Amino acid sequence: MTRCLVVLISALAFAAPLGAQPQLRALYGRLDPTSASQHLALYHLYPHSEEGTKALKRAWELLTRTSPTRHRIAGDIPLPPQSVAAIVGLVSARPTEAGDELDDRALVLIENLAAHLPNRQLKGHGVTSVDAVLALDPPEIDVARALFLSQEGAESGDHRRHEAMMDLMALQILARVDLSASPNDKIAAISRFVFDEMNFRFPPHSIYARDIDEYTFLPSVLDGRRGVCLGVSLLYVCLAQRLGLELELVTPPGHIYVRYNGGEINIETTLRGIHVDSEAYLGLETRKLQQRNLREAVGLVHVNAASVYLTQGAPERAVEEYSKGAKFLEGDAHFTELMGYAHVLSGNEEKGKTLLAGVCHHLADESVCRDTMAEDYVSGNVDREGLTVMFTPVDETLESLQEKRRELEAVVKRCPKFRSGWLHLATTWLQMQRTREGILCLEEFHRLHPKDASAEYYLSVVAAERLDYAKAWRHLHNAEALTAARDHHPKALKTLRRELAMRAAI
């Protein structure tokens, strides 16, 4: 608790000695009048002072502001001091500590305070098993409850503490906006609280790649105040459900963000909740954005963890996580493909090949071109060892890139028809600033797979840099034809066309 109070006092920029009545009055006057956590923290420091009593009363007014049956407190809060300390810890910017445990009395009080929140009206709020979650229509799922059941299991009682934590967050947000407020105002209030007050942040890549559970699963995201795009986006949706705000989860390749009303407001949780235009999420081979329902969102947490286990060389753990997510993502071709790779890499090649054979010719509605790796494995163009190399991670060091390059060279030498192998080798050479070698590999990929829009684009760019404009135009026309066939006209190709036209006019 001491750390929280030090942070509070520092944030208020109050340098004078504490304890004297004038200083306490000044400190009380500098509290954010809409912050329940700051008022509770002052009360915890000075529970017997006049300012402490006033702070307690104000905190309770804020926490019960939107309740139809406001709790009227005369004198003390009906909790022991250690419970007050724990409550302050749960809604402060510092990571949750071991001492921030709520006893049953505090949990019941918070649950009563939050009983009027809109998520209580969802059928999914009262479920106690994963099977019960799966039986619900997606809009009726309480995301927080579903996540806790999926990640912790029904036998764990810890979900009450984390749900109480989010209830307190929602009540703090509602100290500033009404339940009847506009979506814009609710979104602004959630973002202010999550990113400015609670200080949730995106962890460094080197850390989250090693400890993905800690930054993906909601309980650890809540406790650590750190999360990858998926973890913080799900927290955002959980708080929105408590405010009666319907948000959508959208998954561009390798990413996830939150939006309201089809993109009227996009909420980029890796950038402190700012709006990013929807077009920025589209790419050369991404022609539309995939929206996920709330059931699928639960499964994506397990997919995220499993994918990292694959790159960490732990395919057995990946299979475990994919199996947990399978119930929530039934019929998802991309998920099936990833699960197929996990089975292959874990040694169950028969099952893995069966899964990959069922999806290797699938082209997602959001994509321009399909990936070729599954087809190459099913066709015998690459073996298990080659797939293993494809999932080997690299960092930004030259040594890591060189090692990956050597491994990929060995793979394509043994499996010369492995298209993804040539493409990854080209990318690795280019990351090493070895343009000549990279282009040779890219051209070999193009020879094996002449219907890839990205390859056509990059070959056009390289040809233009080498002043071979006839070749540049040829590859650009190929790229435009491939994307147009999928009713996609990406900005990158329009920009390249303008640049080539300008050069031709010189």
Side-chain angles (χ1 to χ4, degrees):
M1 202 45 229
T2 303
R3 286 175 55 201
C4 176
L5 299 174
V6 169
V7 170
L8 169 64
I9 294 169
S10 299
L12 295 174
F14 192 79
L18 297 178
Q21 196 65 29
Q23 284 84 355
L24 278 179
R25 282 198 296 269
L27 179 57
Y28 180 83
R30 293 177 68 86
L31 296 176
D32 180 347
T34 64
S35 174
S37 59
Q38 287 188 11
H39 285 81
L40 284 173
L42 180 63
Y43 166 75
H44 181 74
L45 264 181
Y46 304 105
H48 304 298
S49 68
E50 179 182 351
E51 282 69 25
T53 302
K54 289 168 60 180
L56 173 66
K57 181 179 179 181
R58 178 57 180 164
W60 225 240
E61 289 174 351
L62 291 169
L63 291 175
T64 62
R65 193 179 78 87
T66 59
S67 173
T69 56
R70 293 170 62 91
H71 292 245
R72 302 196 177 278
I73 307 298
D76 286 330
I77 187 172
L79 291 173
Q82 62 269 27
S83 294
V84 178
I87 289 175
V88 178
L90 292 181
V91 288
S92 69
R94 67 170 175 82
T96 303
E97 297 176 340
D100 296 334
E101 296 298 328
L102 295 171
D103 58 22
D104 191 67
R105 183 179 176 188
L107 287 170
V108 171
L109 177 63
I110 294 170
E111 289 165 354
N112 287 336
L113 286 173
H116 68 292
L117 296 181
N119 73 307
R120 267 52 176 186
Q121 304 303 313
L122 296 171
K123 294 179 181 178
H125 183 69
V127 301
T128 58
S129 70
V130 168
D131 288 341
V133 173
L134 294 169
L136 296 169
D137 291 331
E140 289 293 339
I141 292 176
D142 183 314
V143 176
R145 179 63 60 88
L147 288 168
F148 293 140
L149 289 172
S150 175
Q151 295 163 20
E152 298 180 334
E155 67 280 356
S156 173
D158 201 38
H159 69 86
R160 285 187 69 197
R161 180 176 74 87
H162 288 113
E163 287 187 326
M165 187 176 181
M166 285 188 288
D167 288 342
L168 283 170
M169 291 181 182
L171 291 170
Q172 170 65 86
I173 294 167
L174 288 172
R176 298 189 174 106
V177 295
D178 293 323
L179 284 171
S180 59
S182 69
N184 287 41
D185 289 342
K186 288 181 179 180
I187 290 169
I190 295 173
S191 292
R192 173 186 173 184
F193 182 74
V194 170
F195 301 111
D196 295 341
E197 295 187 38
M198 295 293 287
N199 203 34
F200 277 87
R201 291 292 184 271
F202 192 89
H205 178 271
S206 59
I207 296 177
Y208 83 73
R210 183 183 67 241
D211 302 312
I212 188 66
D213 289 10
E214 186 174 343
Y215 304 107
T216 297
F217 292 148
L218 188 57
S220 51
V221 170
L222 283 166
D223 289 338
R225 312 294 197 264
R226 294 289 184 273
V228 294
C229 54
L230 177 59
V232 180
S233 292
L234 289 173
L235 167 62
Y236 208 103
V237 170
C238 291
L239 293 174
Q241 284 192 316
R242 283 163 165 74
L243 271 62
L245 176 64
E246 292 187 14
L247 297 179
E248 302 157 356
L249 287 158
V250 185
T251 54
H255 187 50
I256 187 168
Y257 70 95
V258 184
R259 73 182 182 191
Y260 169 72
N261 195 28
E264 177 182 334
I265 302 174
N266 291 329
I267 304 159
E268 180 47 68
T269 57
T270 65
L271 296 173
R272 299 167 62 85
I274 67 170
H275 172 82
V276 175
D277 288 341
S278 298
E279 186 180 7
Y281 294 103
L282 298 175
L284 192 65
E285 296 202 27
T286 304
R287 71 188 195 97
K288 62 169 62 173
L289 298 170
Q290 183 178 17
Q291 181 179 329
R292 296 288 190 168
N293 64 44
L294 298 183
R295 181 188 295 124
E296 292 171 327
V298 178
L300 291 177
V301 175
H302 298 290
V303 172
N304 214 38
S307 298
V308 172
Y309 289 140
L310 278 182
T311 65
Q312 291 177 341
E316 294 81 7
R317 293 194 67 183
V319 169
E320 291 177 7
E321 286 297 333
Y322 283 133
S323 297
K324 293 178 182 177
K327 297 179 181 179
F328 298 94
L329 290 159
E330 188 174 348
D332 186 291
H334 182 59
F335 170 79
T336 302
E337 181 177 355
L338 291 172
M339 194 167 187
Y341 294 137
H343 279 290
V344 170
L345 298 183
S346 66
N348 191 348
E349 292 197 61
E350 183 178 355
K351 183 169 184 178
K353 190 171 185 177
T354 298
L355 291 171
L356 294 174
V359 297
C360 66
H361 298 296
H362 174 76
L363 175 59
D365 187 43
E366 301 79 27
S367 302
V368 171
C369 304
R370 61 181 175 82
D371 188 78
T372 60
M373 191 159 69
E375 183 182 12
D376 276 343
Y377 177 75
V378 172
S379 301
N381 291 336
V382 67
D383 53 17
R384 175 186 169 191
E385 182 180 351
L387 287 183
T388 300
V389 172
M390 298 296 289
F391 287 96
T392 302
V394 294
D395 54 36
E396 298 177 355
T397 65
L398 180 59
E399 292 78 9
S400 178
L401 288 170
Q402 288 176 333
E403 177 62 26
K404 185 63 175 283
R405 185 260 304 167
R406 286 190 289 268
E407 292 176 343
L408 286 168
E409 284 182 327
V411 170
V412 296
K413 183 177 181 180
R414 190 179 68 255
C415 307
K417 295 182 179 180
F418 181 31
R419 290 166 289 184
S420 290
W422 285 107
L423 181 60
H424 280 244
L425 182 56
T427 302
T428 303
W429 276 121
L430 293 173
Q431 288 176 317
M432 296 170 60
Q433 308 301 316
R434 300 282 291 272
T435 304
R436 177 179 174 277
E437 292 87 346
I439 295 306
L440 288 174
C441 293
L442 187 59
E443 287 176 339
E444 179 61 17
F445 168 74
H446 180 259
R447 186 185 71 81
L448 294 169
H449 186 55
K451 294 185 178 181
D452 185 272
S454 292
E456 297 286 1
Y457 169 77
Y458 288 114
L459 288 170
S460 176
V461 171
V462 170
E465 290 176 350
R466 295 178 173 181
L467 307 183
D468 189 345
Y469 295 119
K471 187 175 182 180
W473 279 110
R474 185 167 66 253
H475 285 298
L476 174 60
H477 290 151
N478 291 342
E480 289 175 331
L482 288 168
T483 55
R486 295 286 289 164
D487 193 25
H488 183 44
H489 307 280
K491 185 177 180 180
L493 295 185
K494 295 177 182 177
T495 301
L496 179 56
R497 170 171 280 278
R498 285 196 300 270
E499 292 177 353
L500 289 178
M502 289 175 59
R503 293 190 187 190
I506 295 175

